[in-house]
């Protein structure tokens, strides 16, 4: 009997491949697999190999050591700091905006979400130049502050960290609002009403009931903004100064100005690792939130 089972085991894959449906499925999937291999897997492995090669083609970790020391390490820390600041501000403004939209009637909420999302389809370069015009010394913001006789106006709002954070936050805000709006719409308002009927105040309801329900969405939105900001190039390059050089800008400089492809590849691999770590964290937070909802149900 054991021999029969053993002999029958290899026959199952053959029988499966003999199925017309399986062959058609493989045929349909083949272009997608080739597409992913050529345009995703191959470039990533090529970049990884390039980052491990010395000028003479020998194996080396010199480029990673160089990327994690001196000025390059400072750029990495600057990237992490600006990305964290962008994520926090995106969460704060996104939370307030999404919370306000959820209180509107469905038609008005749809229009409000349209206003939030439509600017996202405008080129990031155009939006960045729009911010440069608004935040300049003679821009709308400084002219308004000057006309109101605000002490210190006009302020330096460009080519510093404040300008970069303002620009990147505006770029990440639609993602945050979309995520938080979906989570907030799914909150059962009967739970809030039940807490109110038991004598809980608004602050207590928000802190003990509402906030835990939307916490997974907050974590996912914050991490998404952080991950997207890590590799952002246009806004930091145009609205920042020398002290706000981010890792994407550094990679561009190493390739276009220094012709240092190996060092740029190492920087790219480090950025990829940070992004993957963030994505895994998002998945862990999402899974944790789903398990908590199941337990509460």
């Amino acid at each position: 009997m054991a021999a029969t089972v053993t002999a029958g085991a290899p026959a199952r894959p053959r029988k499966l491949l003999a199925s017309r449906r399986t062959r058609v499925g493989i045929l349909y999937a083949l272009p997608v697999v080739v597409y992913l291999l050529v345009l995703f897997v191959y470039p990533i492995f090529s970049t990884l190999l390039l980052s491990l090669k010395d000028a003479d083609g020998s194996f080396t970790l010199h480029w990673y050591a160089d990327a994690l020391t001196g000025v390059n390490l400072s750029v990495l820390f600057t990237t992490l700091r600006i990305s964290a600041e962008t994520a926090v501000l995106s969460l704060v403004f996104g939370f307030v905006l999404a919370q306000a939209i959820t209180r509107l009637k469905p038609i008005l909420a749809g229009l409000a979400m349209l206003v939030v999302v439509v600017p996202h389809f405008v080129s990031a370069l155009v939006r960045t130049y729009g911010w440069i015009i608004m935040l300049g010394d003679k821009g709308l913001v400084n002219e308004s502050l000057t006309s109101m006789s605000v002490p210190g106006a006009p302020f330096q709002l460009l080519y510093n960290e404040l300008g970069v954070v303002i620009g990147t936050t505006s770029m990440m805000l639609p993602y945050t609002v979309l995520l938080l709006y979906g989570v907030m719409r799914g909150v059962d308002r009967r739970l809030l009403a039940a807490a109110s009927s038991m004598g809980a105040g608004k602050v207590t309801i928000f802190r003990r009931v509402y906030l835990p329900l939307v916490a997974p969405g907050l974590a996912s939105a914050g991490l998404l903004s952080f991950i997207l900001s890590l590799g952002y190039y246009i806004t930091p390059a145009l609205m920042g100064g020398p002290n706000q050089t981010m890792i994407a800008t550094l990679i561009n400089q190493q390739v276009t100005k220094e012709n240092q492809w190996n060092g740029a590849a190492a920087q790219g691999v480090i950025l990829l690792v940070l992004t993957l770590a963030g994505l895994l964290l998002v998945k862990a937070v999402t899974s944790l939130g789903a398990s908590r909802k199941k337990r509460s149900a």
Side-chain angles (χ1 to χ4, degrees), residues 158-205:
L158 284 176
Y159 314 119
N160 52 24
E161 191 159 323
L162 176 61
V164 173
V165 172
I166 290 173
T168 52
T169 300
S170 70
M171 301 297 171
M172 299 302 127
L173 196 58
Y175 299 105
T176 309
V177 174
L178 283 171
L179 275 171
L180 292 180
Y181 178 74
V183 173
M184 291 175 178
R185 289 284 293 181
V187 173
D188 191 347
R189 297 287 169 178
R190 293 176 297 179
L191 297 174
L192 309 182
S196 179
S197 67
M198 296 295 290
K202 290 184 178 180
V203 176
T204 304
I205 293 173

Side-chain angles (χ1 to χ4, degrees), residues 67-81:
L68 298 174
T69 55
V71 177
N72 292 334
L73 182 62
S74 177
V75 169
L76 180 60
F77 283 142
T78 299
T79 303
L80 294 173
R81 184 181 67 251

Side-chain angles (χ1 to χ4, degrees), residues 50 57 74 121 126 171 198 200 206 208 226 231 237 248 257 276:
L50 188 62
S74 177
F121 295 100
V126 174
M171 301 297 171
M198 296 295 290
F206 176 80
R208 300 286 298 274
F226 179 78
K257 295 181 179 179
L276 289 176

